[in-house]
Amino acid sequence: MENIIKPQIPVFKPLIEESEIAAAVESLELGWLGMGSYVKDFEAELTRVCDFASGEDRHVVAVSTGHAALHLSLLMIGVGSGDEVITPSFNNAADFQAIRACGAEPVFVDIKEETLCIDVDKVESLITDKTKCIICMDYDIFLCDHNALRKISKKYNIPILHDAAHSFGSYYKGRPTGNQHEYTMFSFDPVKTVTCIDGGAVVVKGAENVKRLQAMRLIGMTQSAEQMYTNSRAWTYDIEGLGFRYHMANLHAAIGLSQISKLDKIRSTRQIACKKYYDELSSITWLEAPKGDFEEVSPFLYYIRVLNGNRDELREHMKSQGVDTGIHWQAGHKFTYFKGCRKGDLDVTEKIVDQILSLPLHSYMSEKDQNRIIQSIASFRG
């Protein structure tokens, strides 16, 4: 272990303070390590942040991971063998795997160059009788054109699954994420803006759908969630359908509760860092620094596009300066497991995956660290 060289400034740095440690200790001392009262409180806090519109009958169900949230959402929609799900090729592999886990096939669509979100204008040409769902993913400091997606959903009677893994705590036209479509998933994994160590959530409409999700996340058992939320359980139950071990643990929910209590500060400090990145980097001619509506988003990433073909050289240079970088994402249609999937015109995706570079972005990021990151880029002469 002594020979491992750790980057001095990592891409991700979880915000773990005394309050998170105290919350973890408190939940462990409680002695109820499974799904319990902290999960109930965490779902209530997620509901508060989402601020669902009156009469929408929306509910939040916490699960073990973002991938679990994707998988369960697709199953709730009814995605199965022989179906197709349209998704950007420029996306996290979790989406593609969740589709395959349902027995369906991903169909790859392109992204808009301005936002790196799904290109709604290219979606319709890919819709067939097999299309069961469309996945849209908010990316970094940009949100999808959700109004246009709703029109397509209504026109073809195809549900939208909103992948909001990047955008928890963000707003779309004044409304928090979670209000835009019938199904929304959140991720609270180790590197997300708000972390539970690992965790996810599904936003769904209707009390009956909540009961289905609650059973599916607990290996199909009709175990009363309300009883488990009191840190107790029933010893007899029925199993009426498919289920998985996808429930959230009290420990993870306790950490998530501490994180959400700081959401406003987390959001504002990340917005400030993104603005500084744009102000300092936008004048460099061989890269493109995005300028979004920083006031509306709770940024997960900040990326640049390296336009001179020297991304790998820049990464090595920054590494030599003690700065780590990331690549979010690779193209799904180029993975061996998905090469045979149907796809549309992916010209923008093909270009972006060779240019994209994620910079370090942390909650409460110090000005000293950020200046050092910016200087490592400005000093590159590749």
Side-chain angles (χ1 to χ4, degrees):
M1 294 294 290
E2 293 180 359
N3 294 325
I4 296 177
I5 299 174
K6 295 183 179 180
Q8 292 171 281
I9 304 179
V11 178
F12 301 114
K13 184 180 179 181
L15 179 66
I16 302 297
E17 300 180 311
E18 289 184 6
S19 60
E20 282 79 15
I21 295 170
V25 170
E26 183 180 274
S27 70
L28 291 171
E29 289 178 341
L30 177 67
W32 187 268
L33 300 184
M35 184 173 67
S37 56
Y38 286 95
V39 177
K40 178 182 180 180
D41 293 343
F42 184 61
E43 289 175 339
E45 278 299 283
L46 295 179
T47 300
R48 180 188 63 80
V49 172
C50 288
D51 188 23
F52 298 129
S54 176
E56 282 290 311
D57 192 25
R58 295 181 189 267
H59 306 267
V60 179
V61 177
V63 294
S64 56
T65 66
H67 177 265
L70 286 164
H71 189 198
L72 292 178
S73 297
L74 291 169
L75 291 173
M76 290 289 293
I77 290 169
V79 174
S81 179
D83 292 332
E84 292 183 340
V85 176
I86 296 174
T87 173
S89 176
F90 187 71
N91 199 347
N92 190 290
D95 294 66
F96 317 143
Q97 293 284 24
I99 294 167
R100 276 275 172 89
C102 295
E105 288 292 295
V107 175
F108 295 118
V109 67
D110 211 359
I111 52 174
K112 297 284 287 185
E113 189 161 358
E114 298 80 10
T115 63
L116 308 191
C117 296
I118 189 170
D119 188 338
V120 181
D121 295 333
K122 293 184 178 180
V123 168
E124 285 193 80
S125 64
L126 295 173
I127 294 174
T128 71
D129 292 340
K130 293 183 178 181
T131 306
K132 193 74 173 184
C133 174
I134 299 167
I135 293 178
C136 63
M137 183 196 71
D138 299 325
Y139 186 79
D140 186 32
I141 58 172
F142 295 106
L143 272 63
C144 301
D145 187 347
H146 292 292
N147 284 347
L149 284 162
R150 280 197 296 269
K151 291 178 182 178
I152 287 182
S153 175
K154 185 176 181 179
K155 179 178 178 180
Y156 292 95
N157 194 29
I158 297 172
I160 305 292
L161 170 53
H162 181 186
D163 182 338
H166 287 201
S167 54
F168 175 72
S170 296
Y171 291 79
Y172 177 78
K173 298 188 182 301
R175 295 298 302 156
T177 52
N179 284 269
Q180 287 67 45
H181 302 286
E182 188 171 355
Y183 295 90
T184 301
M185 66 75 64
F186 294 120
S187 173
F188 307 108
D189 72 20
V191 303
K192 288 301 187 296
T193 307
V194 166
T195 183
C196 289
I197 299 177
D198 218 339
V202 179
V203 177
V204 68
K205 284 188 176 182
E208 286 303 313
N209 283 333
V210 171
K211 289 182 180 179
R212 282 185 62 200
L213 274 171
Q214 288 174 341
M216 289 170 71
R217 73 179 172 182
L218 201 65
I219 36 184
M221 296 189 297
T222 57
Q223 177 86 242
S224 168
E226 289 305 315
Q227 181 168 347
M228 296 197 76
Y229 290 158
T230 63
N231 301 319
S232 63
R233 61 177 296 167
W235 293 102
T236 58
Y237 46 81
D238 194 12
I239 293 180
E240 299 173 346
L242 185 67
F244 307 87
R245 193 169 177 82
Y246 279 171
H247 60 277
M248 177 178 279
N250 258 351
L251 171 61
H252 291 189
I255 292 171
L257 283 165
S258 177
Q259 293 267 289
I260 289 181
S261 71
K262 308 171 185 178
L263 181 58
D264 289 344
K265 189 66 174 177
I266 287 172
R267 182 193 293 117
S268 64
T269 59
R270 285 171 171 261
Q271 289 172 341
I272 290 169
C274 288
K275 290 175 184 177
K276 181 176 177 64
Y277 272 139
Y278 175 77
D279 290 343
E280 297 290 337
L281 297 176
S282 58
S283 61
I284 299 178
T285 58
W286 49 264
L287 64 79
E288 182 176 303
K291 181 183 181 182
D293 184 357
F294 298 121
E295 301 303 321
E296 285 279 288
V297 297
S298 183
F300 165 54
L301 291 171
Y302 190 84
Y303 70 88
I304 58 173
R305 289 171 56 187
V306 183
L307 306 178
N308 61 3
N310 289 336
R311 181 184 65 183
D312 292 343
E313 290 82 358
L314 173 62
R315 295 192 73 200
E316 286 300 315
H317 172 75
M318 294 178 70
K319 184 177 180 180
S320 73
Q321 304 295 305
V323 178
D324 196 13
T325 56
I327 297 175
H328 300 84
W329 307 106
Q330 299 181 71
H333 67 279
K334 292 187 176 182
F335 289 126
T336 300
Y337 191 44
F338 301 106
K339 280 185 177 179
C341 296
R342 194 161 65 87
K343 60 182 182 291
D345 166 25
L346 299 172
D347 287 350
V348 177
T349 299
E350 295 276 3
K351 177 167 61 174
I352 294 298
V353 295
D354 291 330
Q355 299 176 342
I356 201 78
L357 186 65
S358 301
L359 304 182
L361 180 63
H362 314 151
S363 301
Y364 301 11
M365 179 176 253
S366 72
E367 187 173 4
K368 179 181 177 181
D369 278 355
Q370 196 169 18
N371 285 337
R372 186 170 161 197
I373 295 161
I374 291 166
Q375 180 56 37
S376 74
I377 297 171
S379 63
F380 179 59
R381 297 289 184 266

